[in-house]
């Protein structure tokens, strides 16, 4: 009887260790990384699996955006719907005006299964302050 109880306890302990390892590995894969404008630019321009995502409003985007961006308005009712149509295996480089909305957007993306999320430190304001170019659409 003691032998069965010992085997059960060892099995339970082993399962708990495996569960913890898998959980922590999964969490680490879903971690959001904050990048300076220079690192954001360098990393976001690498490969076809990189998507630069502007989460500002259309009115804000009209004032200028980073070249080559896709957009999904974080404040719009259909934000989650737009995200659900995106490839979760790609790397997402996300920015807003000042960086505040980006934190909430990255959390939502993590909840939805996106694993590789990089955010622009200080948002587009910091990008411009560091002397990086923006595209201003024709009106």
């Amino acid at each position: 009887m003691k032998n069965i109880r010992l085997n059960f306890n060892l099995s339970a302990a082993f399962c708990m260790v495996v569960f913890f390892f898998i959980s922590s590995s999964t969490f680490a894969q879903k971690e959001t990384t904050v990048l300076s404008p220079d690192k954001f630019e360098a990393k976001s321009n690498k490969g076809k699996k990189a998507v630069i995502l502007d989460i500002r409003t259309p009115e804000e985007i009209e004032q200028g955006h980073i070249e080559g961006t896709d957009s999904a308005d974080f404040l719009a009712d259909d934000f989650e719907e737009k995200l659900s149509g995106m490839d979760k295996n790609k790397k997402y480089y996300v920015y807003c005006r000042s960086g505040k909305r980006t934190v909430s957007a990255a959390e939502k993306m993590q909840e939805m299964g996106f694993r590789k999320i990089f955010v622009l430190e200080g948002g587009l304001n910091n990008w411009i302050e560091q002397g990086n170019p923006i595209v201003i659409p024709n009106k």
Side-chain angles (χ1 to χ4, degrees), residues 10 26 47-48 51-53 66 79 86 89 95 98 115 134:
L10 286 175
T26 302
K48 294 178 182 179
V51 176
I52 303 172
L53 185 62
I66 297 173
F79 180 70
M86 296 180 176
N89 295 314
Y95 73 94
S98 65
R115 291 187 219 142
I134 60 170

Side-chain angles (χ1 to χ4, degrees), residues 35-89:
L35 300 174
S36 68
D38 290 340
K39 288 184 180 180
F40 188 90
E41 181 179 30
K43 290 182 177 263
S44 66
N45 288 322
K46 292 185 177 179
K48 294 178 182 179
K49 288 202 167 210
V51 176
I52 303 172
L53 185 62
D54 187 334
I55 61 163
R56 298 174 303 143
T57 65
E59 294 79 22
E60 290 174 304
I61 293 171
E62 286 178 16
Q63 296 171 6
H65 60 85
I66 297 173
E67 185 174 2
T69 61
D70 290 343
S71 65
D73 181 356
F74 179 70
L75 300 176
D77 293 336
D78 67 345
F79 180 70
E80 287 184 44
E81 185 179 326
K82 282 191 176 185
L83 288 181
S84 66
M86 296 180 176
D87 184 350
K88 291 177 177 64
N89 295 314

Side-chain angles (χ1 to χ4, degrees), residues 1-14:
M1 189 73 156
K2 287 183 181 181
N3 199 14
I4 293 172
R5 192 170 292 176
L6 179 62
N7 283 340
F8 177 76
N9 288 339
L10 286 175
S11 296
F14 178 76

Side-chain angles (χ1 to χ4, degrees), residues 97-112:
R97 184 175 43 86
S98 65
K100 292 178 183 173
R101 284 175 274 182
T102 308
V103 173
S104 299
E107 288 172 358
K108 176 53 66 184
M109 292 175 78
Q110 288 175 348
E111 289 172 14
M112 295 178 72

Side-chain angles (χ1 to χ4, degrees), residues 107-135:
E107 288 172 358
K108 176 53 66 184
M109 292 175 78
Q110 288 175 348
E111 289 172 14
M112 295 178 72
F114 292 84
R115 291 187 219 142
K116 299 172 186 169
I117 306 164
F118 303 88
V119 299
L120 176 58
E121 177 183 42
L124 191 63
N125 290 344
N126 190 26
W127 176 268
I128 294 169
E129 286 173 13
Q130 298 299 315
N132 293 300
I134 60 170
V135 175

